[in-house]
């Protein structure tokens, strides 16, 4: 029994290591997690307080807008011509540089429309297909349109209306 006490006293050097480890863990958390987060939060607050009218911003929801006016805790953003929305300052994620394009490029949409705007070429042979619902009869009827082999294409068959007297018993 006396030998057990001597062995326990000999392993007392690990107590100082445990104390050192206990003090080191909070320091690691402070330098790796808490300090960088507080630094980012401080920079975000400075950016939000330094906003001026005319600046282009990106909100946390992904809206690109122009600052119209700045209040104590809120800002008014113009998201489109004549469309103004009020946000809190914390909703602004970043101030964009002036190099960003203001308008999206819609060149591919212009190629799809014809000169009158309601006809689109959907066929293989280049003939026009009328997609308008106004019923103008400028396009050829479906029965007169010839296929690739020169024969007229058949019309698709629709469902036939059946009246109560026509049903089989």
């Amino acid at each position: 029994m006396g030998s057990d006490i001597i062995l326990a006293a000999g392993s007392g050097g690990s107590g100082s290591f445990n104390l050192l480890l206990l003090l080191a863990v909070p320091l690691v958390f402070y330098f790796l997690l808490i300090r960088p987060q507080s630094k980012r939060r401080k920079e975000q607050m400075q950016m939000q307080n330094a906003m001026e009218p005319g600046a282009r911003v990106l909100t946390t929801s992904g809206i690109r807008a122009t600052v119209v006016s700045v209040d104590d805790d809120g800002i008014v953003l113009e998201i489109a011509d004549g469309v103004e929305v009020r946000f809190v300052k914390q909703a602004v994620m970043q101030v964009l540089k002036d190099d960003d394009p203001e308008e999206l490029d819609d060149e591919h949409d212009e190629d799809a429309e014809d000169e009158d705007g309601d006809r689109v070429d959907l066929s293989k042979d280049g003939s026009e297909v009328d997609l308008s619902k106004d019923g103008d009869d400028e396009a050829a009827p479906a029965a007169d349109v010839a296929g690739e082999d020169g024969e007229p294409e058949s019309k698709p068959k629709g469902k036939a209306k059946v009246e109560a007297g026509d049903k089989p018993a």
Side-chain angles (χ1 to χ4, degrees):
M1 228 199 291
S3 64
D4 292 334
I5 295 174
I6 296 172
L7 289 175
S11 63
S14 66
S16 61
F17 177 74
N18 288 339
L19 182 63
L20 184 64
L21 187 63
L22 188 65
L23 294 175
V25 168
L27 288 174
V28 169
F29 272 102
Y30 175 75
F31 284 108
L32 292 180
L33 298 174
I34 299 169
R35 188 169 178 238
Q37 180 65 27
S38 64
K39 184 178 178 183
R40 270 184 257 133
R41 185 176 42 225
K42 187 185 291 185
E43 290 173 355
Q44 186 79 9
M45 292 282 288
Q46 288 176 349
M47 183 266 307
Q48 290 169 352
N49 290 331
M51 280 188 293
E52 297 178 352
R56 299 273 303 155
V57 295
L58 178 67
T59 65
T60 54
S61 59
I63 299 173
R64 295 176 189 252
T66 305
V67 177
V68 175
S69 65
V70 180
D71 296 338
D72 291 336
D73 62 340
I75 57 174
V76 177
L77 299 177
E78 184 178 35
I79 57 176
D81 293 334
V83 180
E84 295 180 354
V85 183
R86 183 165 176 76
F87 281 89
V88 292
K89 284 184 178 180
Q90 288 80 13
V92 175
M93 187 168 57
Q94 80 183 81
V95 176
L96 300 175
K97 299 195 175 23
D98 292 332
D99 298 342
D100 292 341
E102 292 194 20
E103 299 283 332
L104 294 176
D105 191 17
D106 292 332
E107 290 180 13
H108 65 279
D109 290 341
E110 294 171 3
D111 294 339
E113 291 186 10
D114 220 19
E115 59 274 347
D116 58 352
D118 59 277
R119 294 186 182 271
V120 179
D121 182 20
L122 297 176
S123 63
K124 294 179 184 176
D125 59 355
S127 63
E128 288 187 348
V129 177
D130 186 11
L131 297 178
S132 64
K133 294 182 180 180
D134 56 359
D136 56 345
D137 295 331
E138 293 177 14
D144 296 341
V145 176
E148 292 179 7
D149 56 357
E151 296 182 19
E153 294 182 6
S154 63
K155 291 185 183 179
K157 296 180 181 177
K159 293 183 179 180
K161 293 185 179 180
V162 178
E163 300 206 10
D166 295 342
K167 288 185 182 177

